[in-house]
Amino acid sequence: GITALQRSLAVTESAFGSASINLASTLNSIAVACRRHGDFDRAQRFYERALRILEGAPAYKNRERVDTLNNLAQMLLDMGDEDAALKLFSQSQVLGESQLGATELPVAYSLNGLALINQRRGNMPKALNFFERSLAILENRLGPSHRDVAGVLNNISALLESGGDTNRALSTLQKALAIQEQVLPKGNLALATTLHNLGGMLAANGDLTNALVQFRKSLAITDALFGKDNPQSCAELETLAPFEVGSGEWEKGLNHFVEAARR
């Protein structure tokens, strides 16, 4: 836990000093733990302290520095600070390509982050270029059936859909789902999200029968993960019900409207 990591940090700091490169890994671990607990302010302070140490570290620490830049950038992006995230992802890309090589894994995560920011800002061609470069590195380094490959395929699918390329978006999302079904546990939340997104895309293409199958699979996962009375399952029901009514399954649809309201 965080307490044990902090004790380890104190011992290392006492032995080597407050600016020792030996502290960087523990600082990163504490930052990750704080982030998981929702303590983003503390996480940011630990990430930034690790970066200050790593800036003057030997070259063999460059990978850790790039990873730290990526981790902090992603957290800031999740918090909505796009400007700060863009600056850090840009730094990590430049450092990664110059010191590690343009086809190394940390660069792929930098590129994915840059793609997400460009997508949010409406620069779709640049975003797609970054996503595709990230995907190529991940497939080469991790293999074509890795969960991170599926994650970038999900991102590409959303980008293509927003740009109106629905057929390519659908095939890309189906590829992502095939990977996730192969490598993720059946009750994984990421799998539920992909199934939900696929259901929406199929419904938009007029394939209500298969859309309902995906929505119901997604609902089953969220019910199993969180129990039936949870916000995500309520949202799933509210999505599912009108499509059931629209496909002629009136009783099921009305029952799900009622169940969503009850929950």
Side-chain angles (χ1 to χ4, degrees):
I2 296 176
T3 302
L5 286 168
Q6 287 179 314
R7 285 200 297 268
S8 174
L9 178 66
V11 171
T12 307
E13 190 169 6
S14 176
F16 297 103
S18 60
S20 170
I21 60 171
N22 296 298
L23 300 176
S25 296
T26 305
L27 288 166
N28 263 305
S29 296
I30 297 173
V32 170
C34 289
R35 182 180 174 186
R36 286 175 180 165
H37 284 82
D39 192 345
F40 301 120
D41 288 340
R42 286 183 70 204
Q44 184 171 349
R45 290 197 297 272
F46 283 114
Y47 278 136
E48 289 174 345
R49 186 179 172 194
L51 285 172
R52 287 194 296 271
I53 290 172
L54 291 167
E55 281 175 3
Y60 74 88
K61 283 286 187 177
N62 280 332
R63 181 177 293 268
E64 187 174 353
R65 184 179 171 193
V66 174
D67 287 338
T68 305
L69 285 165
N70 280 334
N71 290 339
L72 177 55
Q74 187 61 57
M75 186 184 78
L76 292 172
L77 182 59
D78 293 341
M79 294 167 62
D81 192 346
E82 288 183 13
D83 291 337
L86 176 61
K87 181 179 178 181
L88 292 172
F89 276 130
S90 298
Q91 288 177 5
S92 65
Q93 181 202 359
V94 171
L95 181 65
E97 289 181 341
S98 64
Q99 299 299 318
L100 306 177
T103 61
E104 291 297 314
L105 270 178
V107 176
Y109 300 118
S110 305
L111 292 168
N112 183 67
L114 290 169
L116 290 169
I117 294 171
N118 278 277
Q119 181 179 1
R120 291 185 184 191
R121 296 184 173 187
N123 193 338
M124 301 308 182
K126 194 171 184 179
L128 183 58
N129 176 263
F130 280 133
F131 277 140
E132 289 177 340
R133 288 168 61 189
S134 176
L135 180 65
I137 295 170
L138 292 171
E139 287 181 329
N140 181 57
R141 291 289 177 177
L142 301 176
S145 298
H146 192 275
R147 62 189 300 162
D148 290 353
V149 171
V152 176
L153 286 170
N154 263 299
N155 292 338
I156 292 173
S157 175
L159 179 68
L160 293 170
E161 184 183 25
S162 67
D165 192 347
T166 54
N167 289 334
R168 191 175 164 202
L170 179 59
S171 63
T172 302
L173 190 59
Q174 288 170 327
K175 184 177 179 182
L177 177 62
I179 294 170
Q180 289 179 322
E181 287 180 329
Q182 179 181 343
V183 302
L184 296 179
K186 290 184 178 180
N188 188 276
L189 184 58
L191 182 58
T193 301
T194 302
L195 288 164
H196 178 90
N197 293 340
L198 180 58
M201 208 173 288
L202 289 167
N205 284 359
D207 189 353
L208 287 182
T209 300
N210 283 322
L212 290 174
V213 172
Q214 310 311 322
F215 285 137
R216 287 165 181 159
K217 286 181 179 179
S218 181
L219 175 64
I221 292 173
T222 55
D223 276 354
L225 280 174
F226 307 117
K228 291 190 175 182
D229 293 336
N230 75 85
Q232 187 150 343
S233 285
C234 290
E236 292 281 0
L237 284 168
E238 289 170 353
T239 299
L240 175 61
F243 287 117
E244 288 175 325
V245 171
S247 67
E249 297 184 32
W250 292 89
E251 186 175 352
K252 283 185 179 180
L254 291 172
N255 285 339
H256 281 148
F257 272 126
V258 172
E259 177 63 9
R262 183 199 66 75
R263 293 187 184 188

